[in-house]
Amino acid sequence: MAQQYPHGHVETDSELEAFYRDLEAMSTTALWRVLTQQITDEPQPRAVPFLWKYRRIRPLVLRAGELVTPEQANRRVVVLVNPGLKSECYASSTLLANIQLVLPGEIAPAHRHSAAALRFIIEGNGGYTAVDGEKTVMRPGDLVLTPNWTWHDHGNPTDGPMIWQDGLDVPLVNALDASFFEPYPGMQQAYTRPVDLSTEQYRQGGLRPAWERWTKPYSPLLNYAWQQTREALERMSKGAPGTPWDGITMEYVNPHTGGPIMPTIGAHAQLLRAGEHTQAHRHTMDVVYQVVEGRGFTIINGVRFDWEPHDVFVIPKWAFHEHVNASATDAACLFSYNDQPVMQSLGLYREEELVENDGYQEVTGAFTPL
Ligand code: GTQ
Ligand code: FE2
C-alpha cells in the first residue's frame, strides 16, 4: 500500500517464514514485523472516554460500608474501571479514580506507598487525613495531598459519612515497575505537628515562610481549601479571559516552585461561565474530572457526555474535547487531575487545537451512562 511506504512493507514468503521461526527460537524478532505497532503515528490509548454517574455509584459505596470495615479492607474503596482497561482496573493509562468511604468513628490504617495520591472531598465535613505527622481537616471540595512515600491515615470523628475521590498514579508507577508499600506499625501514625500547620504556613497566596527549608519534590501544602479556590474562580470570572479551551482554569501549585503539586500528578479547578462553550483541543495528558457544581456536558471525540455534580469522567490522551455549561444563569465548576507533569518533564507533552468548524466538533452521538 502506497500510504504505508514511509514505514516500509515486507512481503512474506516461505524463506522469510523460516527466518521468522529461527528468530523466534532465539527469542528475537524482526523489527519490520512490529514497527508500526510499536511506533504508532499517534497515541493509541486503550483507555476510552468514560463517565460514571455519582448517583449510581454512591449506593454501592454505602453498601460497601455495610459489608466491610477499613480494618479488614485497609481502604474501603470502589474502583472506577475504564472499560478499555478492565484487566488492570485503571481509570486511565496513568491514573486511578477511586471513591472512598470512611464512616463515623472509623479509622483507615496508616501506611505509605511509592504511588502518590490526592483526595477530592465529595461528602462529609470534619473527617481528617494525616500526612507525615500532620492532620488536615477535610471539607467538601477540598483537595488533599498524600504525596509519594508519605505516611497517611484517615479518620472520621464526625457523625456523618466521609466520601471522597482518590486520584492516584498507580498505573504509571506500575508501568515503571516502581511500586513499594509499607504498613505503619499501628492503626494511626504519631501526630507530631499541629493540626493544619501547612495550611497555616502556606495559605497566603504569593507569600511563604522564608525560613522553611523544603527540598521535597512535592507541595508542602496538604490541603487546598475549596472555599479559597471557589473565591479565586469567582474573582477571575469577573474579568479574566481564561482560555478558549478551558474557560477560567486555575492550576493548584506548589508554593515553593509555582509548579505542579506533585511530580506525577497535576490538578486544576475550572469555572465555566453561564452558557460558556469552549473550543475543542487535545493533548498528551490523561485528565480525570470530578464535577463540583453546575450541569453541562463535555464532547469527547464527537460524543456528548452529560454531567452533573460529583459525576466522574475521563478524557484519555489525544482525544478532542470541549466543555459546555448548559446553564444560562449559573456557573459550573470542575475539578480535574492529570499526568501533565510527567509528560512535560519527559518532553512528551503536546497539544493541538481543532481548527475545522471554528474549533467545534461535529457531534455524532451521546454517551449512555450505566
Ligand atoms: O487512601 O491511602 O483509593 O492507599 C487506593 C490506595 C486510597 C488511601 C485508594 C490507597 C488509598
Ligand atoms: Fe494509601
Side-chain angles (χ1 to χ4, degrees), residues 75 77 96 98 100 111 113 119 152 154 164 166 168:
R75 292 295 185 266
V77 165
L96 294 185
N98 297 343
Q100 180 158 179
H111 65 209
H113 34 71
R119 335 275 164 185
H152 54 283
H154 314 290
W164 63 78
D166 292 313
L168 293 98

Side-chain angles (χ1 to χ4, degrees), residues 198-215:
S198 71
T199 306
E200 212 39 64
Q201 288 181 321
Y202 288 102
R203 69 172 155 201
Q204 297 87 356
L207 288 172
R208 64 177 171 85
W211 64 90
E212 275 291 317
R213 294 287 166 257
W214 185 260
T215 52

Side-chain angles (χ1 to χ4, degrees), residues 84-85 93 131 224 235 260 330:
L85 299 168
S93 62
V131 182
Y224 295 74
R235 271 197 309 278
D330 300 322

Side-chain angles (χ1 to χ4, degrees), residues 326-346:
S327 169
T329 50
D330 300 322
C333 293
L334 306 172
F335 167 76
S336 67
Y337 54 99
N338 60 67
D339 59 3
Q340 188 181 24
V342 178
M343 303 306 285
Q344 202 107 53
S345 62
L346 299 178

